[in-house]
Amino acid sequence: MELFGIVLSIPVAFAASMLYCLLLAKAVSKSAKLSRSLRIASYAVLSLFAVEILLLITIGGVRSRGLLGPGFYIAHVVFLFVCTPAIANVLVLRRKQGTISKWWVAGAICTVFAFGLVLLQYSVSEALYGIDGDDGPYSFLISMPTSAPEGILTADPLRHA
């Protein structure tokens, strides 16, 4: 099932990236103030993402989660959704217009980047929660005894059914 999700992410990322880059080129780029604001916000997002990548490379996902707490995974998931538009903003709304600033070129670059983000998401998620979500170091934050009385909420309701 994961493979289906990974493969399906490519055409979805392609369509979303092309549409977003076209919107940037045809509408947003007309406003200098909005373009500048989006570029600045995008540089901030991409800088924070670079910090995450450095953490993942140097100490890994499990130790990063241990160091930063639950906010690490939340930020990681947020980056999954905001980094591709941030790359598009930086590429399409550049002051110097060139080949890389063309919306269709930027859209293709964003598609490849989005696919990389999806693979990164799977990697970090499996490191933290395990392949099936139940055998990683952060799979169950609340341990309940296997003989819990009926009606008590457990971390895995199907396990005690």
Side-chain angles (χ1 to χ4, degrees):
M1 197 60 156
E2 286 180 6
L3 184 60
F4 178 72
I6 292 170
V7 170
L8 186 62
S9 74
I10 298 169
V12 170
F14 177 76
S17 295
M18 289 297 180
L19 194 63
Y20 185 72
C21 288
L22 178 64
L23 175 73
L24 287 175
K26 299 298 181 190
V28 176
S29 64
K30 307 272 187 259
S31 169
K33 194 176 211 176
L34 182 58
S35 293
R36 185 174 187 275
S37 298
L38 283 174
R39 271 195 330 270
I40 290 170
S42 296
Y43 286 130
V45 166
L46 293 173
S47 296
L48 291 172
F49 179 65
V51 170
E52 179 193 8
I53 294 298
L54 286 172
L55 281 171
L56 291 173
I57 289 171
T58 57
I59 64 173
V62 175
R63 287 183 61 200
S64 296
R65 164 61 169 84
L67 180 68
L68 300 175
F72 169 75
Y73 190 71
I74 293 167
H76 174 73
V77 172
V78 168
F79 288 142
L80 174 69
F81 293 104
V82 299
C83 280
T84 301
I87 288 283
N89 293 342
V90 168
L91 294 176
V92 175
L93 302 176
R94 292 171 40 163
R95 289 184 187 167
K96 290 184 178 181
Q97 296 297 316
T99 305
I100 205 166
S101 296
K102 304 289 185 204
W103 69 268
W104 63 87
V105 175
I109 292 169
C110 288
T111 301
V112 172
F113 185 75
F115 182 65
L117 286 173
V118 168
L119 295 178
L120 180 65
Q121 166 58 21
Y122 274 101
S123 173
V124 170
S125 182
E126 287 182 359
L128 296 177
Y129 303 109
I131 293 174
D132 295 325
D134 61 358
D135 60 347
Y138 291 100
S139 295
F140 298 106
L141 297 178
I142 301 173
S143 297
M144 296 295 287
T146 55
S147 60
E150 192 170 308
I152 293 182
L153 183 61
T154 62
D156 185 3
L158 298 178
R159 179 178 284 178
H160 304 289

